[in-house]
């Protein structure tokens, strides 16, 4: 059978002045490996990016997530570029199969030395240990081999709580008594809820891939986290009322936190939100046009790569041999500075937070590029 080559303009349809530097398709049928790696920009240093396992993968989504990492790493002032890898498969596949696929992926990227893999949806510190074992290059490792387990300590959730604290006065909000809703009560969502409730917020709604719950008087975060950690679902929490996943979008609250999939807030449901702040825990959870609508509706949106950089900052500290307490200190310092910089620029220049954040990140990437032979 003859294969039709994609037209060159299709192959480069995402290319712009920043990247991507390379897009690689990895295929190893005997081991069940089918993956895409996009290394977007490496001007500031080797690219750090998550390795995700998802049933549906596409070059477009992989590129958008890689670009988000370029901006996130630059905005955080890390000496790392951005990348993303997506492996096709069921994130809940049996552990032996996952190990085989991940090890095959690691061998396939052995020569791509400007890519450092980190954990993402469907992968964790054990998966990073397998990659490290194969090629000596990954972050988000288990403690026993020098890692700072970023999901266990809640590095991203901690950073989100710092961003929320800085952002609150920009929408006339106080975290004390603020009602929060978390879509996706996983590693990011549960720790964001934990740190925010420690600052006085009240969790009034939560969901996972199986269902959603709501309780205006407050959901006990530690109890819900215990259920999830034991392999249960949010719907197993007996003291809140089960609601339809779509109803979570319109649950009245002060801060709505997407912490699951990309593109969950779109032009079709953005008008149903009833909140003051959209604190973006997931990567690209709001489409471009929905984000514009949020601003028109007066909902303060804290862009993903500013608010959710805690995990990658932690990974970069680990890569440089730093400690857990040092990582948390650096996360607080960087996220606090960047959130106030972006929201002040947005307010003073009368632009939306996203362009203000992109401007901050892009200037840093361009400065790094100007120091390289290829600009
Ligand atoms: P996770 O797998 O630990 O948690 C994801 C949660 O979302 C799970 O509880 C899952 O059941 C739920 N979920 C999946 N689909 C859903 C849906 N349609 N509706 C509601 N809930 C749904 O993953 P994570 O590490 O918490 O990552 C969540 C998001 O945050 C991803 O977009 C990831 O890329 C992003 N992110 C993660 C980190 C990190 O440090 N882990 C850092 C930055 C960004």
């Amino acid at each position: 059978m003859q294969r039709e080559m994609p037209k060159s303009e299709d192959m480069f349809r995402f290319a712009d002045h920043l990247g991507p530097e390379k897009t690689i398709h990895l295929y190893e049928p005997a081991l069940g490996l089918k993956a895409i790696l996009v290394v977007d920009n490496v001007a500031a240093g080797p690219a750090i990016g998550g390795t995700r396992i998802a049933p549906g993968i596409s070059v477009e989504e992989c590129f958008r997530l890689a670009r988000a990492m370029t901006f996130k790493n630059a905005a955080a002032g890390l000496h790392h570029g951005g990348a993303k890898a997506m492996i096709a498969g069921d994130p809940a596949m049996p552990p032996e199969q996952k190990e085989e696929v991940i090890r095959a992926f690691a061998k396939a990227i052995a020569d791509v030395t400007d890519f450092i893999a980190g954990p993402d949806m469907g992968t964790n510190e054990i998966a990073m240990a397998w990659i490290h074992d194969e090629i000596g290059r990954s972050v988000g490792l288990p403690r026993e081999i020098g890692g700072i387990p970023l999901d266990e300590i809640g590095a991203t959730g901690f950073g989100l709580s710092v961003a929320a604290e800085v952002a609150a006065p920009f929408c006339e909000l106080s975290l004390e008594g603020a009602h929060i809703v978390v879509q996706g009560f996983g590693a990011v969502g549960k720790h964001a809820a934990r740190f925010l409730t420690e600052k006085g917020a009240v969790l009034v709604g939560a969901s996972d891939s199986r269902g959603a719950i709501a309780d205006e008087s407050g959901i006990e975060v530690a109890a819900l986290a215990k259920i999830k950690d034991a392999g249960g679902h949010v719907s197993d929490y007996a003291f809140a009322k089960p609601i339809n996943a779509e109803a979570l979008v319109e649950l009245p609250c002060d801060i709505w936190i997407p912490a699951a999939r990309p593109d969950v807030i779109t032009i079709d449901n953005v008008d149903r939100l009833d909140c003051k702040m959209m604190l973006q825990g997931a990567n690209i959870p709001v489409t471009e046009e929905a984000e514009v609508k949020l601003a028109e509706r007066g909902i303060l949106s804290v862009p993903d790569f500013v608010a959710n950089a805690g995990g990658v900052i932690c990974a970069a500290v680990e890569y440089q041999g730093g400690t857990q307490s040092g990582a948390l200190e650096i996360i607080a310092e960087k996220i606090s500075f960047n959130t106030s910089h972006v929201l002040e620029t947005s307010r003073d220049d009368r632009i939306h937070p996203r362009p203000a954040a992109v401007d901050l990140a892009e200037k840093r990437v361009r400065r790094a590029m100007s120091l390289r032979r290829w600009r």
Side-chain angles (χ1 to χ4, degrees), residues 52 72 84 119-122 150-151 156 183-189 207-210 228 259-262 264 281-283 308 311-312:
R52 170 176 302 197
K72 189 187 300 191
K84 199 78 176 185
D120 202 292
M121 289 170 87
L150 58 93
D151 279 340
T156 302
Q183 186 203 43
F185 201 80
V188 172
S207 72
D208 59 18
S209 56
R210 302 283 191 90
K228 288 288 291 177
R261 301 273 313 147
V264 292
N283 294 319
N308 74 13
V312 77

Side-chain angles (χ1 to χ4, degrees), residues 48 116-120 123-129 132 137-143 145-151 311-312 314-316 318-319:
I48 292 187
I116 303 162
D120 202 292
T123 61
N124 58 11
E125 76 267 19
I126 308 286
M128 293 309 111
H132 197 264
R137 202 178 64 240
S138 63
V139 283
L141 296 167
R143 231 184 268 283
I145 54 169
I148 308 173
L150 58 93
D151 279 340
V312 77
C314 186
E318 174 192 302
Y319 194 65

Side-chain angles (χ1 to χ4, degrees), residues 89-151:
D90 178 0
M93 67 178 80
E96 314 75 54
Q97 188 191 350
K98 193 175 271 193
E99 178 168 357
E100 195 168 42
V101 169
I102 296 277
R103 284 185 183 276
F105 168 76
K107 283 186 203 136
I109 60 159
D111 294 338
V112 190
T113 53
D114 50 11
F115 170 61
I116 303 162
D120 202 292
M121 289 170 87
T123 61
N124 58 11
E125 76 267 19
I126 308 286
M128 293 309 111
W130 294 329
I131 296 179
H132 197 264
D133 187 38
E134 294 293 338
I135 61 171
R137 202 178 64 240
S138 63
V139 283
L141 296 167
R143 231 184 268 283
E144 295 73 17
I145 54 169
I148 308 173
L150 58 93
D151 279 340

Side-chain angles (χ1 to χ4, degrees), residues 34 52-57 61 86-91 121-122 261:
K34 205 178 199 183
R52 170 176 302 197
I53 300 180
I57 65 173
E61 188 168 309
M86 298 183 92
I87 300 174
D90 178 0
M121 289 170 87
R261 301 273 313 147

Side-chain angles (χ1 to χ4, degrees), residues 13 26 61 74 123 127 129 186 203 231 257 272 284 308 311 315 324 338 370-371 374-375:
R13 66 193 183 281
L26 306 158
E61 188 168 309
T123 61
L203 180 68
I257 307 169
R272 292 172 39 216
I284 51 169
N308 74 13
Q324 179 174 321
N338 288 335
S370 74
L371 301 171
W374 296 278
R375 293 168 188 200

Side-chain angles (χ1 to χ4, degrees), residues 321-375:
T323 63
Q324 179 174 321
S325 58
L328 292 175
E329 216 172 287
I330 295 173
I331 291 168
E333 181 199 317
K334 284 180 180 293
I335 292 193
S336 166
F337 176 85
N338 288 335
T339 306
S340 59
H341 177 91
V342 163
L343 297 181
E344 278 165 16
T345 306
S346 162
R347 181 194 57 205
D348 299 345
D349 296 355
R350 293 173 177 277
I351 55 174
H352 296 164
R354 168 91 32 194
V358 169
D359 187 56
L360 167 79
E362 198 167 327
K363 275 190 183 134
R364 288 187 183 159
V365 177
R366 280 175 181 275
R367 263 201 304 276
M369 289 172 82
S370 74
L371 301 171
R372 305 287 291 254
R373 190 183 309 153
W374 296 278
R375 293 168 188 200

Side-chain angles (χ1 to χ4, degrees), residues 164-180 253-256 275-278 300:
E165 198 160 30
V166 173
F170 286 84
C171 56
E172 285 151 22
L173 191 67
S174 158
L175 290 190
E176 187 60 49
H179 283 191
I180 62 170
C253 65
D254 296 300
I255 307 177
W256 207 88
C275 62
K276 293 189 179 131
M277 186 196 301
M278 167 68 56
L300 182 73

